[in-house]
Amino acid sequence: MSRDTTAPFEFRGVNHLALVCKDMARTVEFYRDILGMPLVKTIDLPGNRGQHFFFDIGNGDSLAFFWFKDAPEAAPGISAPAALPTQGSFVSAHGSMNHIAFNVPAEHFDEYHQRLIDRGVVVTKILNHDNSETQVADSADDEDVYVRSVYFFDPDGVCLEFAAWTHEGFTDKDVAHDPARADGSRALGMIVAAAKNDETTMVPAE
């Protein structure tokens, strides 16, 4: 899918995601020492107002953690899922960040899954996401599988995922569902009709 050169803004990925931790030392131990993310920037806020630490997650992107001494306690099931996929409710509140998926190479996915286990991280089984009715294939060799996933929590209950794309890119056929409204009804024609119309008006490339 080509980039829209008429878009009002040029996005270059994620500069950083900012999350809140309870114990910055424990966070460093998990992200730097267990997951192996380089710690690239640390900030002590003036007036003892807290800390900001940044970890390198590749491609110039960062994962930031903020520490505030008197921050409220975590609220599983509200600010983050109460359970991992396949192990309970994966719902979180409006405006929450449900989980972070780190892009990892497909050729190392099984190795990385085992490496998490060897480092004491509790993980889900591997999910091979496809377009079937169940949306999960038994084997990664199924040609309809488009991404492989494994999920786990960090020490503060932030849900994390290792995700590996298994194809070279999406096509217009991958955008095929009308979005749900707040009451659960669908905004019929908002996506599907527009996609069909685009197909009939496309000009073949020279």
Side-chain angles (χ1 to χ4, degrees), residues 16 24 39-46 49-54 64-67:
H16 68 274
M24 189 66 86
L39 180 60
V40 294
K41 177 67 177 176
T42 64
I43 300 171
D44 260 328
L45 299 178
R49 290 188 288 114
Q51 292 187 315
H52 295 176
F53 280 34
F54 293 77
F65 280 89
F66 291 8
W67 173 80

Side-chain angles (χ1 to χ4, degrees), residues 81-128:
L84 297 172
T86 75
Q87 298 179 2
S89 175
F90 197 52
V91 173
S92 58
H94 300 152
S96 66
M97 189 202 67
N98 187 270
H99 69 284
I100 303 171
F102 300 112
N103 195 20
V104 299
E107 63 269 23
H108 295 303
F109 189 83
D110 293 293
E111 173 191 347
Y112 286 5
H113 176 250
Q114 185 59 49
R115 191 173 294 175
L116 286 171
I117 295 171
D118 293 344
R119 292 181 173 221
V121 179
V122 177
V123 299
T124 65
K125 65 180 182 180
I126 294 173
L127 298 178
N128 301 303

Side-chain angles (χ1 to χ4, degrees), residues 7-151:
F9 305 101
E10 179 185 355
F11 295 107
R12 298 183 175 183
V14 175
N15 182 287
H16 68 274
L17 295 172
L19 298 94
V20 177
C21 66
K22 182 175 184 177
D23 184 321
M24 189 66 86
R26 183 179 64 177
T27 295
V28 170
E29 289 173 349
F30 183 79
Y31 286 91
R32 185 194 65 181
D33 301 339
I34 294 178
L35 297 187
M37 294 180 182
L39 180 60
V40 294
K41 177 67 177 176
T42 64
I43 300 171
D44 260 328
L45 299 178
N48 198 30
R49 290 188 288 114
Q51 292 187 315
H52 295 176
F53 280 34
F54 293 77
F55 298 85
D56 182 356
I57 58 174
N59 296 322
D61 305 332
S62 296
L63 182 64
F65 280 89
F66 291 8
W67 173 80
F68 307 110
K69 183 178 180 182
D70 298 317
E73 290 294 318
I78 299 176
S79 60
L84 297 172
T86 75
Q87 298 179 2
S89 175
F90 197 52
V91 173
S92 58
H94 300 152
S96 66
M97 189 202 67
N98 187 270
H99 69 284
I100 303 171
F102 300 112
N103 195 20
V104 299
E107 63 269 23
H108 295 303
F109 189 83
D110 293 293
E111 173 191 347
Y112 286 5
H113 176 250
Q114 185 59 49
R115 191 173 294 175
L116 286 171
I117 295 171
D118 293 344
R119 292 181 173 221
V121 179
V122 177
V123 299
T124 65
K125 65 180 182 180
I126 294 173
L127 298 178
N128 301 303
H129 301 281
D130 68 358
N131 295 307
S132 68
E133 186 175 343
T134 63
Q135 298 192 3
V136 178
D138 292 331
S139 170
D141 296 329
D142 188 321
E143 63 181 15
D144 200 33
V145 172
Y146 57 89
V147 69
R148 306 187 72 202
S149 299
V150 62
Y151 301 85

